[in-house]
Amino acid sequence: QKEVEQNSGPLSVPEGAIASLNCTYSDRGSQSFFWYRQYSGKSPELIMSIYSNGDKEDGRFTAQLNKASQYVSLLIRDSQPSDSATYLCAVNLYYGNNRLAFGKGNQVVVIP
Amino acid sequence: DAGVTQSPTHLIKTRGQHVTLRCSPISGHKSVSWYQQVLGQGPQFIFQYYEKEERGRGNFPDRFSARQFPNYSSELNVNALLLGDSALYLCASSLEPGNQPQHFGDGTRLSIL
Protein backbone atom coordinates (compact mmCIF):
# COMPACT_ATOMS: atom_id res chain seq x y z
CA GLN A 1 0.00 0.00 0.00
CA LYS A 2 1.35 3.40 -0.98
CA GLU A 3 1.96 5.89 1.80
CA VAL A 4 -0.16 8.56 0.06
CA GLU A 5 -2.49 7.82 -2.83
CA GLN A 6 -4.16 10.14 -5.25
CA ASN A 7 -5.85 7.93 -7.79
CA SER A 8 -8.04 10.21 -9.84
CA GLY A 9 -6.97 11.05 -13.36
CA PRO A 10 -6.97 14.57 -14.82
CA LEU A 11 -10.02 16.53 -13.70
CA SER A 12 -11.71 18.93 -16.11
CA VAL A 13 -14.20 21.37 -14.59
CA PRO A 14 -16.06 24.30 -16.12
CA GLU A 15 -15.26 27.76 -14.83
CA GLY A 16 -17.31 28.54 -11.73
CA ALA A 17 -17.85 24.88 -10.79
CA ILE A 18 -16.51 22.97 -7.78
CA ALA A 19 -13.40 20.81 -8.18
CA SER A 20 -13.10 17.92 -5.71
CA LEU A 21 -9.83 16.11 -5.05
CA ASN A 22 -9.29 13.08 -2.82
CA CYS A 23 -6.33 11.54 -1.06
CA THR A 24 -5.84 8.52 1.21
CA TYR A 25 -2.88 7.69 3.42
CA SER A 26 -1.59 4.58 5.15
CA ASP A 27 0.10 5.84 8.34
CA ARG A 28 -2.57 5.95 11.09
CA GLY A 29 -0.29 7.97 13.35
CA SER A 30 -0.01 10.93 10.96
CA GLN A 31 -1.05 14.25 12.47
CA SER A 32 -0.55 16.88 9.80
CA PHE A 33 -1.78 17.08 6.24
CA PHE A 34 -1.11 19.54 3.45
CA TRP A 35 -2.26 20.44 -0.02
CA TYR A 36 0.20 21.97 -2.46
CA ARG A 37 -0.49 23.51 -5.86
CA GLN A 38 2.11 23.08 -8.58
CA TYR A 39 1.96 24.91 -11.88
CA SER A 40 3.71 23.32 -14.83
CA GLY A 41 7.46 23.86 -14.59
CA LYS A 42 7.21 25.46 -11.14
CA SER A 43 7.74 24.29 -7.57
CA PRO A 44 4.96 23.26 -5.16
CA GLU A 45 3.16 26.07 -3.33
CA LEU A 46 1.46 25.43 0.00
CA ILE A 47 -2.25 26.26 -0.15
CA MET A 48 -3.77 24.43 2.83
CA SER A 49 -2.73 22.80 6.10
CA ILE A 50 -5.11 20.72 8.22
CA TYR A 51 -4.49 18.99 11.53
CA SER A 52 -7.91 18.16 13.02
CA ASN A 53 -10.87 16.15 11.81
CA GLY A 54 -13.46 18.17 9.98
CA ASP A 55 -13.40 21.03 7.52
CA LYS A 56 -11.04 23.97 7.20
CA GLU A 57 -11.90 26.80 4.86
CA ASP A 58 -9.55 29.40 3.36
CA GLY A 59 -11.06 31.56 0.68
CA ARG A 60 -12.30 29.36 -2.16
CA PHE A 61 -10.47 26.31 -0.77
CA THR A 62 -11.85 23.83 1.76
CA ALA A 63 -9.80 20.95 3.14
CA GLN A 64 -11.55 18.03 4.80
CA LEU A 65 -9.90 15.48 7.08
CA ASN A 66 -11.20 12.16 8.38
CA LYS A 67 -8.50 10.40 10.39
CA ALA A 68 -10.65 7.33 11.08
CA SER A 69 -11.00 6.73 7.35
CA GLN A 70 -7.46 8.01 6.64
CA TYR A 71 -8.86 10.36 4.05
CA VAL A 72 -8.11 13.97 3.08
CA SER A 73 -9.89 15.99 0.44
CA LEU A 74 -9.70 19.42 -1.15
CA LEU A 75 -12.59 21.37 -2.61
CA ILE A 76 -12.05 24.33 -4.89
CA ARG A 77 -15.18 26.46 -5.17
CA ASP A 78 -15.91 28.86 -8.03
CA SER A 79 -13.04 27.38 -10.03
CA GLN A 80 -11.04 29.83 -12.11
CA PRO A 81 -8.74 29.24 -15.09
CA SER A 82 -5.86 30.25 -12.80
CA ASP A 83 -6.65 27.17 -10.68
CA SER A 84 -5.48 24.94 -13.54
CA ALA A 85 -2.52 23.12 -12.00
CA THR A 86 -1.46 19.87 -10.38
CA TYR A 87 -2.56 19.48 -6.77
CA LEU A 88 -0.34 17.44 -4.46
CA CYS A 89 -1.52 15.85 -1.24
CA ALA A 90 1.21 15.58 1.41
CA VAL A 91 1.20 13.78 4.75
CA ASN A 92 3.70 14.18 7.58
CA LEU A 93 4.43 10.56 8.46
CA TYR A 94 4.51 9.87 12.18
CA TYR A 95 6.25 6.53 11.67
CA GLY A 96 8.58 7.90 9.02
CA ASN A 97 10.69 10.20 11.18
CA ASN A 98 8.21 12.97 10.49
CA ARG A 99 9.11 13.16 6.83
CA LEU A 100 6.66 14.51 4.27
CA ALA A 101 5.24 11.93 1.86
CA PHE A 102 3.51 13.10 -1.33
CA GLY A 103 0.93 11.62 -3.60
CA LYS A 104 1.63 11.72 -7.33
CA GLY A 105 -0.75 14.63 -7.76
CA ASN A 106 -3.99 15.33 -9.60
CA GLN A 107 -4.10 17.61 -12.60
CA VAL A 108 -7.00 20.06 -12.65
CA VAL A 109 -8.02 21.84 -15.85
CA VAL A 110 -10.57 24.64 -15.55
CA ILE A 111 -12.37 25.24 -18.83
CA PRO A 112 -13.45 28.86 -19.46
CA ASP B 1 10.51 38.50 3.35
CA ALA B 2 12.64 36.31 1.11
CA GLY B 3 11.42 32.81 0.54
CA VAL B 4 13.53 29.70 0.16
CA THR B 5 16.29 30.34 -2.36
CA GLN B 6 18.04 27.65 -4.36
CA SER B 7 21.01 27.76 -6.69
CA PRO B 8 21.70 27.13 -9.42
CA THR B 9 18.38 27.23 -11.28
CA HIS B 10 19.49 24.86 -14.00
CA LEU B 11 22.45 22.55 -14.34
CA ILE B 12 23.67 20.23 -17.05
CA LYS B 13 26.15 17.49 -16.16
CA THR B 14 27.45 14.31 -17.72
CA ARG B 15 27.39 10.82 -16.29
CA GLY B 16 29.99 10.19 -13.59
CA GLN B 17 30.34 13.83 -12.56
CA HIS B 18 29.35 15.20 -9.21
CA VAL B 19 27.09 18.13 -8.37
CA THR B 20 26.45 20.43 -5.42
CA LEU B 21 23.10 22.14 -4.98
CA ARG B 22 22.56 24.93 -2.50
CA CYS B 23 19.63 26.14 -0.45
CA SER B 24 18.97 29.04 1.89
CA PRO B 25 15.88 28.68 4.10
CA ILE B 26 13.32 31.29 5.02
CA SER B 27 14.68 33.54 7.75
CA GLY B 28 13.96 31.96 11.13
CA HIS B 29 13.47 28.47 9.73
CA LYS B 30 15.87 25.93 11.18
CA SER B 31 14.85 22.79 9.32
CA VAL B 32 15.70 22.06 5.70
CA SER B 33 14.52 19.11 3.64
CA TRP B 34 15.54 17.96 0.17
CA TYR B 35 13.27 16.28 -2.37
CA GLN B 36 13.66 14.85 -5.85
CA GLN B 37 10.79 15.21 -8.30
CA VAL B 38 10.65 13.45 -11.64
CA LEU B 39 8.07 14.29 -14.28
CA GLY B 40 4.60 13.06 -13.44
CA GLN B 41 5.39 12.14 -9.85
CA GLY B 42 5.20 13.83 -6.49
CA PRO B 43 8.37 14.91 -4.71
CA GLN B 44 10.37 12.09 -3.10
CA PHE B 45 12.05 12.72 0.25
CA ILE B 46 15.85 12.61 0.26
CA PHE B 47 17.06 14.23 3.51
CA GLN B 48 15.94 16.35 6.41
CA TYR B 49 18.29 18.45 8.53
CA TYR B 50 17.63 20.33 11.74
CA GLU B 51 20.16 22.26 13.77
CA LYS B 52 22.94 20.88 11.53
CA GLU B 53 22.04 17.27 12.26
CA GLU B 54 20.49 14.76 9.88
CA ARG B 55 16.98 13.97 11.12
CA GLY B 56 15.80 11.76 8.31
CA ARG B 57 16.99 10.01 5.18
CA GLY B 58 14.92 8.67 2.30
CA ASN B 59 15.52 5.64 0.15
CA PHE B 60 18.35 7.05 -1.94
CA PRO B 61 21.84 5.56 -2.53
CA ASP B 62 24.92 6.68 -0.66
CA ARG B 63 25.90 8.77 -3.69
CA PHE B 64 23.54 11.34 -2.21
CA SER B 65 24.74 13.32 0.79
CA ALA B 66 23.89 16.61 2.41
CA ARG B 67 24.84 18.91 5.21
CA GLN B 68 23.50 21.95 7.02
CA PHE B 69 25.60 24.93 8.03
CA PRO B 70 25.45 27.10 11.19
CA ASN B 71 23.38 29.71 9.31
CA TYR B 72 20.87 26.88 8.50
CA SER B 73 21.64 26.91 4.78
CA SER B 74 22.20 23.51 3.23
CA GLU B 75 23.96 21.69 0.42
CA LEU B 76 22.96 18.54 -1.40
CA ASN B 77 25.76 16.61 -3.04
CA VAL B 78 25.36 13.87 -5.60
CA ASN B 79 28.36 11.84 -6.77
CA ALA B 80 28.84 9.56 -9.77
CA LEU B 81 25.82 11.00 -11.57
CA LEU B 82 23.56 8.65 -13.49
CA LEU B 83 21.07 9.42 -16.24
CA GLY B 84 18.31 8.59 -13.77
CA ASP B 85 19.38 11.45 -11.52
CA SER B 86 17.88 13.90 -14.00
CA ALA B 87 15.10 15.59 -12.06
CA LEU B 88 13.91 18.72 -10.30
CA TYR B 89 15.61 18.98 -6.91
CA LEU B 90 13.57 20.85 -4.36
CA CYS B 91 14.56 22.33 -1.06
CA ALA B 92 11.94 23.08 1.57
CA SER B 93 12.27 24.82 4.90
CA SER B 94 10.18 24.84 8.05
CA LEU B 95 10.47 26.33 11.51
CA GLU B 96 11.33 22.90 12.89
CA PRO B 97 10.79 19.24 11.96
CA GLY B 98 7.49 17.56 12.67
CA ASN B 99 4.08 18.99 11.94
CA GLN B 100 5.19 22.40 10.70
CA PRO B 101 4.31 23.20 7.08
CA GLN B 102 7.20 23.14 4.64
CA HIS B 103 7.75 25.87 2.07
CA PHE B 104 9.56 25.11 -1.16
CA GLY B 105 12.13 26.98 -3.17
CA ASP B 106 11.96 27.22 -6.95
CA GLY B 107 14.14 24.14 -7.34
CA THR B 108 17.20 23.20 -9.35
CA ARG B 109 16.56 21.39 -12.61
CA LEU B 110 19.38 18.91 -13.13
CA SER B 111 19.90 17.31 -16.53
CA ILE B 112 22.37 14.46 -17.00
CA LEU B 113 23.68 13.82 -20.50
Side-chain angles (χ1 to χ4, degrees), chain B residues 3 12 15 18 25 28-29 38 45 48 55 58-59 64-65 73 87 97-98 102 108:
Chain B
I12 299 175
R15 284 177 295 175
H18 70 273
H29 285 195
V38 298
F45 174 76
Q48 183 180 74
R55 296 293 294 266
N59 188 25
F64 289 76
S65 63
S73 67
Q102 296 185 20
T108 294

Side-chain angles (χ1 to χ4, degrees), chain A residues 2 30-32 34 36 38 41-46 49 51 88 92 96-105, chain B residues 35 37 40-45 48 55-58 88 90 97-107 109:
Chain A
K2 292 183 179 179
S30 297
Q31 298 294 319
S32 52
F34 308 95
Y36 287 84
Q38 188 172 26
K42 303 295 185 181
S43 65
E45 173 192 9
L46 180 68
S49 305
Y51 303 93
L88 297 162
N92 194 294
N97 292 322
N98 286 307
R99 64 180 174 86
L100 207 56
F102 284 83
K104 68 177 182 179
Chain B
Y35 296 85
Q37 187 177 26
Q41 299 296 318
Q44 295 294 310
F45 174 76
Q48 183 180 74
R55 296 293 294 266
R57 172 186 286 255
L88 178 65
L90 295 161
N99 294 325
Q100 295 291 325
Q102 296 185 20
H103 300 270
F104 285 87
D106 290 338
R109 188 161 299 280

Side-chain angles (χ1 to χ4, degrees), chain A residues 4-112:
Chain A
V4 180
E5 289 203 67
Q6 292 179 259
N7 286 329
S8 300
L11 180 64
S12 293
V13 296
E15 185 174 352
I18 295 175
S20 178
L21 304 171
N22 303 315
C23 168
T24 58
Y25 61 94
S26 61
D27 183 353
R28 282 194 169 275
S30 297
Q31 298 294 319
S32 52
F33 309 86
F34 308 95
W35 284 97
Y36 287 84
R37 177 176 62 197
Q38 188 172 26
Y39 293 113
S40 181
K42 303 295 185 181
S43 65
E45 173 192 9
L46 180 68
I47 56 172
M48 290 290 286
S49 305
I50 187 166
Y51 303 93
S52 304
N53 282 329
D55 295 358
K56 179 182 178 182
E57 187 174 315
D58 185 358
R60 296 185 295 108
F61 297 102
T62 298
Q64 299 172 317
L65 174 61
N66 183 326
K67 291 183 181 179
S69 300
Q70 295 173 246
Y71 175 93
V72 192
S73 67
L74 180 71
L75 299 177
I76 307 173
R77 293 184 303 280
D78 188 23
S79 295
Q80 301 297 309
S82 60
D83 295 326
S84 296
T86 295
Y87 289 81
L88 297 162
C89 174
V91 177
N92 194 294
L93 299 179
Y94 181 80
Y95 294 107
N97 292 322
N98 286 307
R99 64 180 174 86
L100 207 56
F102 284 83
K104 68 177 182 179
N106 286 128
Q107 185 181 10
V108 172
V109 178
V110 180
I111 303 168

